[in-house]
């Protein structure tokens, strides 16, 4: 009798199939890499998909300049270990060119204007496919995305103009100027990702585990102290035992209080948490349609 496949086996097989389809259907794909758990899983799956050869596309990091130092250190270590080709495009360069405008205020976020830099990178590198780590369980706008999601010649996404995907048949044909976002982790959940990381022994940045960090409270959330956040005289700086469920900019990613020291703790915490994964992201709380608005204009 053959071995029965677990849910993680099936998800892994589907993701590897999607990665190979993307490599087969597109001429110039790139894997969008942020240093977060989802893009780290994508790199692991890509290495499996094309082993023993190297995976046939570069990593592309759209660097806002407001990153957690731990995420950048992890990114560089992973690139050294894997031999992957890393391309970095800077949001600051878009600001300097005048194509993106930086926000003012106490918590200026560069999250939304990453889309400008991404679209400029797509045009400069002539990318016809960007592989992303988005999952449908993260946020309702991401739940609307197909696995192969077409963007028009301006990089815009229209949720009403999506292609059917029946029996795992993915259509990557595009007109000149169009490109496709491909999401191999679409059918995974946050819990699946952590269980896979545990099963495969995948390293992740220390940010995901509990550590002592100075924070200030904003709208009931704990934001990390950094050079990018203005501290006003009335702000109370606290030291808390926290960790992060997502890795975004330091200006828009809140921490959660936690005692999770290892992957077992994170999985237990995930099972019992009443907070959504992106509930600690300020960028998603700006409006009811914040994520969809960003995606329509070219966001990840």
């Amino acid at each position: 009798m053959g071995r029965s496949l677990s849910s993680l086996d099936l998800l892994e097989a589907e993701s590897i199939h999607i990665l190979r389809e993307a490599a087969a259907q597109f001429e110039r794909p790139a894997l969008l890499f942020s240093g977060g758990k989802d893009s780290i899983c994508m790199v692991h799956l890509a290495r499996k998909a094309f082993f023993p050869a190297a995976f046939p596309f570069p990593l592309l990091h759209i660097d806002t300049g407001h990153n957690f130092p731990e995420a950048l250190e992890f990114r560089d270590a992973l690139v050294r270990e894997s031999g992957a080709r890393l391309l970095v495009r800077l949001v600051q360069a878009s600001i300097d060119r005048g194509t993106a405008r930086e926000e003012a205020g106490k918590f200026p976020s560069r999250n939304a204007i990453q889309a400008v830099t991404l679209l400029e990178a797509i045009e400069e590198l002539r990318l016809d496919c960007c592989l992303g780590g988005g999952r449908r369980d993260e946020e309702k706008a991401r739940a609307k995305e197909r696995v192969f999601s077409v963007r028009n010649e301006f990089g815009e996404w229209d949720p009403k103009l999506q292609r059917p995907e029946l029996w795992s048949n993915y259509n990557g044909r595009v007109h000149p100027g169009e490109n496709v976002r491909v999401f191999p982790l679409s059918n995974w959940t946050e819990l699946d990702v952590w269980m896979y990381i545990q099963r495969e022994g995948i390293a992740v940045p220390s940010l995901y585990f509990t550590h002592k960090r100075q924070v200030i409270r904003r709208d009931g959330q704990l934001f990390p102290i950094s050079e990018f956040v203005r501290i006003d005289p009335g702000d109370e700086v606290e030291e808390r035992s926290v960790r992060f469920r997502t890795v975004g900019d330091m200006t828009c990613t809140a921490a959660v209080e936690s005692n999770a020291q290892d992957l077992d703790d994170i999985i237990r915490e995930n099972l019992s948490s009443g907070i959504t994964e992106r509930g600690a992201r300020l960028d998603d709380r700006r409006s009811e349609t914040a994520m969809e608005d960003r995606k329509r204009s070219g966001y990840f």
Side-chain angles (χ1 to χ4, degrees), residues 10-23:
L10 295 171
L11 289 169
E12 179 189 67
E14 180 185 59
S15 298
I16 286 175
H17 169 65
I18 293 167
L19 286 161
R20 289 172 176 165
E21 278 292 302

Side-chain angles (χ1 to χ4, degrees), residues 115-132:
V116 175
T117 310
L118 173 60
L119 296 180
E120 290 173 349
I122 289 171
E123 182 177 2
E124 174 206 342
L125 301 168
R126 293 183 292 116
L127 301 177
D128 54 2
C129 167
C130 291
L131 294 148

Side-chain angles (χ1 to χ4, degrees), residues 74-136:
F74 184 91
R75 178 199 70 184
D76 294 341
L78 183 145
V79 167
R80 285 194 299 272
E81 182 272 328
S82 67
R85 185 161 67 99
L86 173 67
L87 305 173
V88 180
R89 292 297 179 270
L90 304 173
V91 169
Q92 184 62 53
S94 300
I95 295 170
D96 293 343
R97 283 192 292 271
T99 52
R101 178 183 293 179
E102 187 148 32
E103 287 184 355
K106 184 174 173 62
F107 289 87
S109 174
R110 292 182 170 181
N111 192 275
I113 60 175
Q114 285 183 87
V116 175
T117 310
L118 173 60
L119 296 180
E120 290 173 349
I122 289 171
E123 182 177 2
E124 174 206 342
L125 301 168
R126 293 183 292 116
L127 301 177
D128 54 2
C129 167
C130 291
L131 294 148
R135 293 177 281 105
R136 288 185 174 126

Side-chain angles (χ1 to χ4, degrees), residues 43-263:
V43 171
H44 183 82
L45 288 160
R47 295 174 79 173
K48 277 196 163 187
F50 300 98
F51 182 83
F55 53 85
F57 34 75
L59 308 182
L60 173 59
H61 182 204
I62 304 301
D63 186 343
T64 65
H66 290 175
N67 304 283
F68 287 91
E70 297 95 326
L72 293 182
E73 290 166 10
F74 184 91
R75 178 199 70 184
D76 294 341
L78 183 145
V79 167
R80 285 194 299 272
E81 182 272 328
S82 67
R85 185 161 67 99
L86 173 67
L87 305 173
V88 180
R89 292 297 179 270
L90 304 173
V91 169
Q92 184 62 53
S94 300
I95 295 170
D96 293 343
R97 283 192 292 271
T99 52
R101 178 183 293 179
E102 187 148 32
E103 287 184 355
K106 184 174 173 62
F107 289 87
S109 174
R110 292 182 170 181
N111 192 275
I113 60 175
Q114 285 183 87
V116 175
T117 310
L118 173 60
L119 296 180
E120 290 173 349
I122 289 171
E123 182 177 2
E124 174 206 342
L125 301 168
R126 293 183 292 116
L127 301 177
D128 54 2
C129 167
C130 291
L131 294 148
R135 293 177 281 105
R136 288 185 174 126
D137 78 317
E138 285 182 82
E139 205 277 341
K140 55 185 180 297
R142 286 190 166 163
K144 295 180 182 178
E145 290 262 26
R146 297 288 194 268
V147 174
F148 275 32
S149 187
V150 177
R151 300 297 195 269
N152 67 17
E153 65 270 32
F154 304 108
E156 298 165 338
W157 174 61
D158 184 348
K160 296 179 180 175
L161 294 178
Q162 301 197 75
R163 296 168 173 175
E165 293 180 335
L166 303 176
W167 304 291
S168 300
N169 290 320
Y170 304 111
N171 181 357
R173 294 181 181 177
V174 293
H175 298 293
E178 293 178 338
N179 61 84
V180 176
R181 305 289 171 83
V182 172
F183 301 104
L185 303 184
S186 283
N187 292 328
W188 295 53
T189 65
E190 182 187 12
L191 181 60
D192 293 326
V193 170
W194 282 118
M195 292 176 66
Y196 188 70
I197 287 170
Q198 184 184 55
R199 187 183 87 169
E200 300 290 305
I202 302 170
V204 292
S206 58
L207 288 165
Y208 285 116
F209 302 102
T210 295
H211 55 284
K212 297 279 189 184
R213 185 177 288 268
Q214 287 192 322
V215 296
I216 58 173
R217 290 188 182 273
R218 182 190 181 191
D219 298 333
Q221 303 219 40
L222 302 173
F223 280 87
I225 296 296
S226 74
E227 60 185 298
F228 314 117
V229 174
R230 189 179 75 219
I231 308 299
D232 291 335
D235 288 329
E236 182 181 352
V237 177
E238 310 170 63
E239 184 173 88
R240 294 281 179 173
S241 294
V242 299
R243 71 177 193 88
F244 294 87
R245 288 179 67 179
T246 65
V247 173
D249 272 3
M250 296 190 78
T251 55
C252 65
T253 308
V256 293
E257 294 196 273
S258 170
N259 294 314
Q261 302 286 344
D262 55 29
L263 292 172

